[in-house]
Amino acid sequence: MDRPRITAVNLQLFWVCLISYSKKGLDISYGKPLGTCFNNSSSGTVIDEDVQFIALSLNLPENRVAPTMLALDEPNVQKRLRGEDKTDYQQSLIQQYLHKSQGDLVLLEGPGDLSEGNLFDLSLLQMAEVLDSAVLLVARYKSLLSVEALLAAKQRVGDRLIGVVINDIPVTQLEAVDTLLRPFLEQQGIPVLAMLPNSALLRSVSVGELVKQLKADVLCRNDRMDLLVESLAIGAMNVNSAVKYFRKRRNMAVVTGGDRVEIQQAALETSTQCLILTGQLPPPPFILSRAEDLEIPILSVDLDTLTTVEIVDRNFGQVRLHEPIKVQYIRQLMSEHFDIDRLLSKLGLTPAAALS
């Protein structure tokens, strides 16, 4: 009997699906054919951080983690466009994921949308077709107009679509999604397996990640790279306006010039997780001393304010689920909102059968 397979497009969901399947007594394998978050390991090889995180977090044995085939990055795109890369990735996919898969269920993380990966014949739909996979989609909620994208996805995915998870719903919109959008989608043959409210915590980014993305120098409190930034503030106004502005925000990163000492001082006395100073001007000793006492990292960047803000803003909501507090929160969130038993049933793996 062929093992069922499922393809999805969200790391948070993957992590909780894996936990849920394990609790149901299922032997699972995991893979991410297209890598998007690569780093060099200590051995010099290139690995996907998401794959490494999941494998380590769930203690998956090596034979339950399929290798990532390709980094979806600029150099590989250029090679493909120039005709230097003529690899048949679909054949590689069959060999690595179909012939070598083990366990009751093979869970694959798909590309970020229905188009990504087309250049390499590894789009979500292409992979699902080659592997004869079921598909679970994760859609970020924008408004009730999100229904159009979901209907279009249903048309493209067809009967392979076994459900959707609607993610990042504002609390004020939950009732409308539950009473209007969800029933309509169910009537259209699109099972809604979860409606997840948005969370400032899950959209936050660690100070360490900002250091990495900004290529910043850490001037103090290098030991607090784990602090999570939930909002961004720009210190470009006068100090009185800045204080009022800062007091309305929480767990923020404040971007300001290295010469704006009064803004730096005001930021340190409010809910600030890190100071990001532009212009490569060092802050005065008393600012560094106060930041040390308050355990607030100060970063220095060789960038202008606009570029710095763009990089920081781009990272909100796109960071990986690698912080323990996020892992704990998403597990709780999914246990309350995600219908794992319904998903198992659609895969032909009822809870009772899985536990027997």
Side-chain angles (χ1 to χ4, degrees), residues 90-104:
Q90 290 194 357
Q91 187 60 37
S92 300
L93 189 71
I94 292 172
Q95 293 173 351
Q96 292 190 26
Y97 287 85
L98 193 59
H99 293 164
K100 297 183 180 180
S101 58
Q102 301 184 56
D104 301 310

Side-chain angles (χ1 to χ4, degrees), residues 103-116:
D104 301 310
L105 181 70
V106 180
L107 185 63
L108 303 184
E109 182 172 357
D113 55 44
L114 295 181
S115 300
E116 194 173 87

Side-chain angles (χ1 to χ4, degrees), residues 1 17 34 354:
M1 177 178 171
C17 277
L34 274 178

Side-chain angles (χ1 to χ4, degrees), residues 36-139:
T36 54
C37 191
F38 276 77
N39 260 343
N40 290 326
S41 68
S42 57
S43 63
T45 59
V46 181
I47 58 176
D48 189 285
E49 291 181 350
D50 291 349
V51 175
Q52 183 184 46
F53 165 73
I54 288 176
L56 292 176
S57 297
L58 298 181
N59 197 28
L60 293 177
E62 186 175 344
N63 66 347
R64 292 296 187 271
V65 182
T68 297
M69 298 190 305
L70 176 73
L72 192 60
D73 57 17
E74 190 75 15
N76 281 329
V77 169
Q78 291 182 10
K79 289 179 183 178
R80 193 73 166 183
L81 293 176
R82 287 195 294 259
E84 297 172 5
D85 178 8
K86 298 181 180 180
T87 304
D88 184 346
Y89 286 104
Q90 290 194 357
Q91 187 60 37
S92 300
L93 189 71
I94 292 172
Q95 293 173 351
Q96 292 190 26
Y97 287 85
L98 193 59
H99 293 164
K100 297 183 180 180
S101 58
Q102 301 184 56
D104 301 310
L105 181 70
V106 180
L107 185 63
L108 303 184
E109 182 172 357
D113 55 44
L114 295 181
S115 300
E116 194 173 87
N118 264 295
L119 179 63
F120 303 94
D121 298 322
L122 290 175
S123 69
L124 178 67
L125 298 181
Q126 289 168 322
M127 288 195 289
E129 184 70 26
V130 168
L131 298 176
D132 193 21
S133 305
V135 175
L136 174 63
L137 290 178
V138 181

Side-chain angles (χ1 to χ4, degrees), residues 23 41 55 98 131 135 140 149 166 177 188 255 271 315 326:
K23 288 182 176 179
S41 68
L98 193 59
L131 298 176
V135 175
R140 175 169 290 177
I166 305 175
V177 174
Q188 301 302 311
V255 178
S271 182
N315 276 272
K326 287 188 180 181

Side-chain angles (χ1 to χ4, degrees), residues 295-310:
E295 300 186 5
I296 299 175
I298 296 181
L299 316 182
S300 177
V301 297
D302 187 18
L303 301 167
D304 59 69
T305 298
L306 179 60
T307 302
T308 301
V309 168
E310 288 178 346

